Amino acid sequence: MPFQPNHVKLFAGSGSTLLAGKIASSYGRDLGDVVTARFSDGEFQPSFNESVRGCDVFLIQSTNQPYDNLMELLLLIDAARRASAHYITVVIPYFGMARQDRKDKPRVAIGAKLIANLLTAAGAHRIMTMDLHAAQIQGFFDIPVDHLDASVIFVPYIKSLGLKNLTIASPDMGGSYRARTFAKFFNAEVVICDKRRKRANEIESMSIIGDVTGQDIVLMDDICDTAGTLAKAAALIMENGANSVRAVCSHPVLSGNAYETVENSALTELIVTDTIPLKRPSSKIKVLSTADLFAKAISIVHEHGSISGLFNVDQNLNTNN
Protein backbone atom coordinates (compact mmCIF):
# COMPACT_ATOMS: atom_id res chain seq x y z
CA MET A 1 0.00 0.00 0.00
CA PRO A 2 1.44 3.39 -0.93
CA PHE A 3 2.13 5.80 1.90
CA GLN A 4 -0.75 8.06 2.89
CA PRO A 5 -0.19 11.10 5.11
CA ASN A 6 -1.71 10.56 8.56
CA HIS A 7 -2.62 7.02 7.61
CA VAL A 8 -4.25 5.17 10.55
CA LYS A 9 -2.56 2.09 11.97
CA LEU A 10 -3.87 0.02 14.88
CA PHE A 11 -1.61 -2.15 17.01
CA ALA A 12 -2.35 -4.46 19.93
CA GLY A 13 -0.39 -5.17 23.06
CA SER A 14 -0.19 -8.86 23.94
CA GLY A 15 -2.67 -8.46 26.81
CA SER A 16 -5.49 -7.14 24.60
CA THR A 17 -5.07 -8.94 21.29
CA LEU A 18 -8.59 -10.38 21.25
CA LEU A 19 -10.34 -7.08 21.90
CA ALA A 20 -7.95 -5.20 19.61
CA GLY A 21 -8.73 -7.64 16.81
CA LYS A 22 -12.45 -6.96 17.24
CA ILE A 23 -11.86 -3.21 17.28
CA ALA A 24 -9.78 -3.40 14.10
CA SER A 25 -12.43 -5.54 12.41
CA SER A 26 -15.17 -3.07 13.39
CA TYR A 27 -12.98 -0.19 12.18
CA GLY A 28 -12.48 -1.98 8.87
CA ARG A 29 -8.80 -2.84 8.75
CA ASP A 30 -6.28 -5.38 10.00
CA LEU A 31 -4.15 -4.96 13.08
CA GLY A 32 -0.58 -3.85 12.45
CA ASP A 33 2.29 -6.29 12.89
CA VAL A 34 4.02 -6.22 16.28
CA VAL A 35 6.73 -8.68 17.30
CA THR A 36 8.18 -9.22 20.77
CA ALA A 37 11.69 -10.49 21.43
CA ARG A 38 12.08 -12.19 24.81
CA PHE A 39 15.22 -12.86 26.79
CA SER A 40 15.72 -15.84 29.06
CA ASP A 41 15.50 -13.69 32.21
CA GLY A 42 12.01 -12.42 31.30
CA GLU A 43 13.05 -9.13 29.72
CA PHE A 44 11.15 -8.38 26.52
CA GLN A 45 11.36 -5.89 23.65
CA PRO A 46 8.30 -5.22 21.48
CA SER A 47 8.83 -3.67 18.05
CA PHE A 48 6.82 -2.76 14.98
CA ASN A 49 7.32 -5.00 11.97
CA GLU A 50 6.16 -2.27 9.59
CA SER A 51 6.72 1.44 9.09
CA VAL A 52 4.73 3.91 11.20
CA ARG A 53 6.49 7.04 9.95
CA GLY A 54 3.97 9.87 9.54
CA CYS A 55 1.07 7.67 10.65
CA ASP A 56 -1.65 8.19 13.25
CA VAL A 57 -0.94 5.23 15.51
CA PHE A 58 -3.47 3.73 17.93
CA LEU A 59 -1.96 1.41 20.53
CA ILE A 60 -4.53 -0.83 22.23
CA GLN A 61 -3.67 -2.35 25.60
CA SER A 62 -5.43 -2.63 28.97
CA THR A 63 -3.09 -2.19 31.92
CA ASN A 64 -4.47 -4.94 34.14
CA GLN A 65 -2.08 -7.31 35.91
CA PRO A 66 0.60 -8.45 35.34
CA TYR A 67 2.60 -5.22 35.19
CA ASP A 68 4.17 -6.54 31.98
CA ASN A 69 1.07 -5.15 30.23
CA LEU A 70 1.90 -1.61 31.35
CA MET A 71 5.60 -1.98 30.58
CA GLU A 72 4.88 -3.37 27.13
CA LEU A 73 2.57 -0.43 26.41
CA LEU A 74 5.21 2.09 27.50
CA LEU A 75 7.78 0.41 25.26
CA LEU A 76 5.38 0.45 22.30
CA ILE A 77 4.73 4.17 22.81
CA ASP A 78 8.45 4.87 22.93
CA ALA A 79 9.06 2.73 19.85
CA ALA A 80 6.34 4.56 17.89
CA ARG A 81 7.72 7.95 18.91
CA ARG A 82 11.26 6.98 17.91
CA ALA A 83 9.95 5.61 14.60
CA SER A 84 8.50 9.06 13.76
CA ALA A 85 4.80 8.32 14.17
CA HIS A 86 2.78 11.47 13.49
CA TYR A 87 0.32 11.11 16.41
CA ILE A 88 0.15 8.43 19.11
CA THR A 89 -3.20 7.66 20.72
CA VAL A 90 -3.07 5.14 23.55
CA VAL A 91 -6.28 3.15 23.87
CA ILE A 92 -6.52 1.74 27.41
CA PRO A 93 -9.90 -0.03 27.77
CA TYR A 94 -9.12 -0.76 31.44
CA PHE A 95 -6.89 1.76 33.20
CA GLY A 96 -5.09 -0.20 35.92
CA MET A 97 -4.06 1.28 39.29
CA ALA A 98 -6.98 3.72 39.06
CA ARG A 99 -7.96 2.86 42.64
CA GLN A 100 -4.76 4.62 43.75
CA ASP A 101 -6.09 8.08 42.88
CA ARG A 102 -5.39 9.92 46.16
CA LYS A 103 -3.50 9.75 49.44
CA ASP A 104 -6.06 8.01 51.63
CA LYS A 105 -3.49 7.30 54.33
CA PRO A 106 0.02 8.57 55.14
CA ARG A 107 3.10 7.67 53.10
CA VAL A 108 1.43 6.07 50.09
CA ALA A 109 1.93 6.72 46.39
CA ILE A 110 -0.71 8.11 44.06
CA GLY A 111 -0.30 5.34 41.51
CA ALA A 112 -2.80 6.63 38.95
CA LYS A 113 -0.94 9.94 38.69
CA LEU A 114 2.38 8.11 38.32
CA ILE A 115 0.97 6.05 35.43
CA ALA A 116 -0.32 9.24 33.78
CA ASN A 117 3.16 10.75 34.02
CA LEU A 118 4.78 7.62 32.59
CA LEU A 119 2.42 7.46 29.60
CA THR A 120 3.00 11.12 28.80
CA ALA A 121 6.78 10.87 29.25
CA ALA A 122 6.89 7.84 26.95
CA GLY A 123 5.42 9.96 24.14
CA ALA A 124 1.62 9.52 24.13
CA HIS A 125 -0.25 12.41 22.54
CA ARG A 126 -3.76 11.30 23.56
CA ILE A 127 -5.41 8.79 25.90
CA MET A 128 -8.63 6.92 25.20
CA THR A 129 -10.14 4.89 28.03
CA MET A 130 -13.46 3.78 29.48
CA ASP A 131 -15.14 4.01 32.90
CA LEU A 132 -12.25 5.18 35.04
CA HIS A 133 -12.59 4.18 38.69
CA ALA A 134 -12.45 7.89 39.50
CA ALA A 135 -13.39 10.33 36.72
CA GLN A 136 -11.03 12.99 38.10
CA ILE A 137 -8.07 10.87 36.92
CA GLN A 138 -8.59 12.65 33.59
CA GLY A 139 -7.13 15.69 35.32
CA PHE A 140 -3.90 13.82 36.05
CA PHE A 141 -3.02 14.13 32.36
CA ASP A 142 -1.70 17.21 30.56
CA ILE A 143 -2.73 15.65 27.23
CA PRO A 144 -6.27 15.09 25.90
CA VAL A 145 -8.27 12.21 27.43
CA ASP A 146 -11.33 10.66 25.78
CA HIS A 147 -13.29 9.03 28.62
CA LEU A 148 -15.89 6.69 27.13
CA ASP A 149 -18.97 5.54 29.03
CA ALA A 150 -20.06 1.89 28.96
CA SER A 151 -23.67 2.88 29.69
CA VAL A 152 -24.31 2.95 25.95
CA ILE A 153 -23.53 -0.77 25.96
CA PHE A 154 -25.22 -1.75 29.23
CA VAL A 155 -28.48 0.21 28.92
CA PRO A 156 -29.74 -1.57 25.76
CA TYR A 157 -28.99 -4.95 27.33
CA ILE A 158 -30.80 -4.14 30.59
CA LYS A 159 -33.76 -2.79 28.60
CA SER A 160 -33.88 -6.04 26.62
CA LEU A 161 -34.43 -8.00 29.84
CA GLY A 162 -37.83 -6.37 30.35
CA LEU A 163 -37.51 -6.12 34.13
CA LYS A 164 -40.86 -4.82 35.44
CA ASN A 165 -39.77 -3.54 38.85
CA LEU A 166 -36.29 -2.28 38.10
CA THR A 167 -34.29 -0.60 40.84
CA ILE A 168 -30.64 0.37 40.51
CA ALA A 169 -28.31 -0.27 43.45
CA SER A 170 -24.83 0.82 44.42
CA PRO A 171 -22.70 -1.73 46.32
CA ASP A 172 -21.15 1.10 48.37
CA MET A 173 -21.52 4.80 49.13
CA GLY A 174 -18.72 5.72 46.73
CA GLY A 175 -20.63 4.36 43.75
CA SER A 176 -23.88 6.21 44.47
CA TYR A 177 -23.24 8.85 41.78
CA ARG A 178 -22.62 6.14 39.18
CA ALA A 179 -25.83 4.36 40.19
CA ARG A 180 -27.90 7.56 40.09
CA THR A 181 -26.55 8.45 36.66
CA PHE A 182 -27.43 4.98 35.35
CA ALA A 183 -30.88 5.05 36.97
CA LYS A 184 -31.82 8.17 34.97
CA PHE A 185 -31.89 6.08 31.78
CA PHE A 186 -34.74 4.01 33.28
CA ASN A 187 -36.41 6.59 35.54
CA ALA A 188 -35.70 4.08 38.32
CA GLU A 189 -35.18 4.40 42.05
CA VAL A 190 -31.76 3.94 43.68
CA VAL A 191 -30.80 2.00 46.80
CA ILE A 192 -27.37 1.92 48.41
CA CYS A 193 -25.49 -0.84 50.19
CA ASP A 194 -23.51 0.80 52.97
CA LYS A 195 -20.41 -1.27 53.72
CA ARG A 196 -17.59 -1.00 56.20
CA ARG A 197 -14.21 -2.55 55.41
CA LYS A 198 -11.65 -4.01 57.77
CA ARG A 199 -9.04 -3.69 55.03
CA ALA A 200 -8.79 -3.86 51.22
CA ASN A 201 -10.94 -6.70 49.79
CA GLU A 202 -12.36 -7.59 53.24
CA ILE A 203 -15.81 -6.39 54.36
CA GLU A 204 -16.72 -6.05 58.05
CA SER A 205 -20.45 -5.27 57.72
CA MET A 206 -23.08 -4.15 55.21
CA SER A 207 -26.59 -2.67 55.38
CA ILE A 208 -29.13 -1.46 52.80
CA ILE A 209 -30.35 2.12 52.51
CA GLY A 210 -33.71 1.92 50.73
CA ASP A 211 -36.46 -0.62 50.06
CA VAL A 212 -35.79 -3.58 47.74
CA THR A 213 -38.96 -5.58 48.49
CA GLY A 214 -40.42 -7.03 45.29
CA GLN A 215 -37.85 -5.26 43.12
CA ASP A 216 -35.57 -6.51 40.33
CA ILE A 217 -32.24 -5.09 41.42
CA VAL A 218 -29.31 -4.19 39.19
CA LEU A 219 -26.09 -3.49 41.11
CA MET A 220 -23.79 -0.98 39.38
CA ASP A 221 -19.99 -0.94 39.75
CA ASP A 222 -16.98 -0.20 37.59
CA ILE A 223 -14.63 -2.98 38.76
CA CYS A 224 -15.34 -6.52 39.88
CA ASP A 225 -12.17 -7.71 41.64
CA THR A 226 -12.73 -10.48 44.21
CA ALA A 227 -16.55 -10.23 43.76
CA GLY A 228 -16.89 -10.37 47.55
CA THR A 229 -18.76 -7.05 47.80
CA LEU A 230 -21.18 -7.98 45.01
CA ALA A 231 -21.86 -11.43 46.47
CA LYS A 232 -22.49 -10.03 49.95
CA ALA A 233 -24.70 -7.25 48.57
CA ALA A 234 -26.67 -9.73 46.43
CA ALA A 235 -27.28 -12.03 49.40
CA LEU A 236 -28.42 -9.11 51.58
CA ILE A 237 -30.72 -7.78 48.85
CA MET A 238 -32.39 -11.16 48.36
CA GLU A 239 -32.77 -11.60 52.13
CA ASN A 240 -34.65 -8.29 52.16
CA GLY A 241 -37.27 -9.50 49.69
CA ALA A 242 -36.03 -8.65 46.20
CA ASN A 243 -37.35 -10.62 43.21
CA SER A 244 -33.93 -10.88 41.56
CA VAL A 245 -30.50 -9.30 41.61
CA ARG A 246 -28.01 -8.78 38.82
CA ALA A 247 -24.71 -6.90 38.70
CA VAL A 248 -23.26 -4.68 35.97
CA CYS A 249 -19.49 -4.10 36.11
CA SER A 250 -17.41 -2.56 33.35
CA HIS A 251 -14.11 -4.27 34.11
CA PRO A 252 -13.94 -8.00 35.02
CA VAL A 253 -10.69 -8.09 37.02
CA LEU A 254 -11.96 -11.25 38.76
CA SER A 255 -8.96 -12.15 40.90
CA GLY A 256 -8.49 -14.91 43.46
CA ASN A 257 -11.64 -16.99 43.96
CA ALA A 258 -13.87 -14.48 42.16
CA TYR A 259 -15.28 -16.98 39.66
CA GLU A 260 -16.34 -19.38 42.41
CA THR A 261 -17.74 -16.47 44.42
CA VAL A 262 -19.88 -15.31 41.48
CA GLU A 263 -21.08 -18.82 40.65
CA ASN A 264 -22.07 -19.52 44.29
CA SER A 265 -23.70 -16.12 44.81
CA ALA A 266 -27.35 -15.03 44.69
CA LEU A 267 -26.65 -13.12 41.46
CA THR A 268 -28.77 -14.11 38.48
CA GLU A 269 -25.95 -12.89 36.26
CA LEU A 270 -22.89 -10.67 36.24
CA ILE A 271 -22.82 -8.44 33.15
CA VAL A 272 -19.34 -7.21 32.14
CA THR A 273 -17.46 -5.93 29.11
CA ASP A 274 -14.42 -7.37 27.33
CA THR A 275 -11.94 -4.69 28.46
CA ILE A 276 -10.17 -7.53 30.28
CA PRO A 277 -10.34 -11.05 28.82
CA LEU A 278 -12.02 -13.64 31.06
CA LYS A 279 -9.69 -16.27 32.47
CA ARG A 280 -12.42 -18.88 32.05
CA PRO A 281 -16.08 -19.00 31.00
CA SER A 282 -18.87 -18.92 33.56
CA SER A 283 -22.59 -19.61 33.14
CA LYS A 284 -23.35 -16.56 35.29
CA ILE A 285 -21.11 -14.08 33.47
CA LYS A 286 -22.44 -12.27 30.38
CA VAL A 287 -19.81 -10.43 28.32
CA LEU A 288 -20.76 -7.44 26.14
CA SER A 289 -18.19 -6.20 23.64
CA THR A 290 -16.77 -2.67 23.63
CA ALA A 291 -15.23 -3.13 20.17
CA ASP A 292 -17.78 -1.11 18.18
CA LEU A 293 -17.69 1.74 20.71
CA PHE A 294 -13.90 2.02 20.58
CA ALA A 295 -13.86 1.66 16.79
CA LYS A 296 -16.32 4.56 16.47
CA ALA A 297 -14.26 6.66 18.87
CA ILE A 298 -11.05 5.94 16.95
CA SER A 299 -12.70 6.94 13.67
CA ILE A 300 -14.06 10.18 15.16
CA VAL A 301 -10.75 11.11 16.80
CA HIS A 302 -8.83 10.51 13.57
CA GLU A 303 -11.29 12.71 11.66
CA HIS A 304 -11.08 15.43 14.35
CA GLY A 305 -14.77 15.10 15.16
CA SER A 306 -16.69 15.30 18.43
CA ILE A 307 -17.16 12.14 20.49
CA SER A 308 -20.10 13.58 22.45
CA GLY A 309 -22.53 11.59 20.30
CA LEU A 310 -21.05 8.37 21.69
CA PHE A 311 -22.55 9.22 25.08
CA ASN A 312 -26.08 9.35 23.65
CA VAL A 313 -27.74 6.05 24.62
CA ASP A 314 -30.65 6.54 22.18
CA GLN A 315 -28.19 6.83 19.27
CA ASN A 316 -26.37 3.69 20.39
CA LEU A 317 -29.26 1.32 21.13
CA ASN A 318 -27.94 -1.15 18.56
CA THR A 319 -24.39 -1.17 19.93
CA ASN A 320 -23.55 -4.63 21.22
CA ASN A 321 -27.00 -5.73 22.42
Side-chain angles (χ1 to χ4, degrees), residues 79-313:
R81 177 176 63 86
R82 295 177 186 277
S84 301
H86 171 257
Y87 198 83
I88 303 169
T89 300
V90 182
V91 181
I92 310 176
Y94 169 66
F95 187 90
M97 296 187 73
R99 287 172 284 189
Q100 299 183 43
D101 64 318
R102 65 196 184 283
K103 286 191 68 174
D104 55 354
K105 57 185 177 181
R107 298 175 297 280
V108 295
I110 303 179
K113 172 60 175 172
L114 174 62
I115 300 307
N117 289 342
L118 290 171
L119 291 167
T120 305
H125 295 112
R126 189 181 200 95
I127 303 295
M128 185 181 295
T129 188
M130 190 182 77
D131 283 6
L132 288 166
H133 182 66
Q136 63 266 24
I137 289 173
Q138 297 172 80
F140 291 176
F141 290 90
D142 292 324
I143 57 177
V145 176
D146 297 310
H147 186 206
L148 304 183
D149 188 343
S151 293
V152 296
I153 299 170
F154 289 132
V155 169
Y157 180 77
I158 296 299
K159 285 186 175 180
S160 74
L161 298 177
L163 301 174
K164 295 181 179 179
N165 302 300
L166 177 64
T167 294
I168 306 301
S170 171
D172 53 37
M173 295 295 289
S176 59
Y177 177 79
R178 182 181 298 108
R180 291 185 187 281
T181 301
F182 196 75
K184 290 178 182 178
F185 294 116
F186 304 94
N187 195 27
E189 296 296 321
V190 174
V191 299
I192 298 171
C193 299
D194 181 24
K195 68 180 178 184
R196 292 186 178 92
R197 288 190 184 273
K198 287 183 179 180
R199 57 187 67 88
N201 296 131
E202 188 175 341
I203 301 169
E204 182 177 5
S205 64
M206 180 178 285
S207 59
I208 296 177
I209 302 173
D211 186 12
V212 298
T213 305
Q215 299 299 300
D216 295 301
I217 305 297
V218 174
L219 283 157
M220 285 296 304
D221 213 346
D222 63 316
I223 297 172
C224 182
D225 190 349
T226 65
T229 296
L230 290 179
K232 194 173 184 69
L236 187 60
I237 286 168
M238 293 303 293
E239 289 169 7
N240 279 267
N243 286 336
S244 66
V245 57
R246 291 171 170 80
V248 169
C249 293
S250 303
H251 309 298
V253 174
L254 298 174
S255 64
N257 296 321
Y259 286 89
E260 291 80 4
T261 300
V262 170
E263 288 159 6
N264 296 327
S265 72
L267 290 169
T268 300
E269 63 180 341
L270 170 62
I271 306 154
V272 301
T273 74
D274 55 356
T275 57
I276 301 173
L278 295 188
K279 300 178 183 71
R280 73 181 208 206
S282 169
S283 60
K284 280 196 173 185
I285 300 178
K286 170 72 173 180
V287 180
L288 305 179
S289 182
T290 60
D292 289 345
L293 180 60
F294 277 109
K296 288 179 183 178
I298 289 170
S299 178
I300 291 170
V301 166
H302 176 62
E303 294 169 3
H304 305 289
S306 170
I307 68 165
S308 61
L310 297 181
F311 298 93
N312 189 319
V313 171

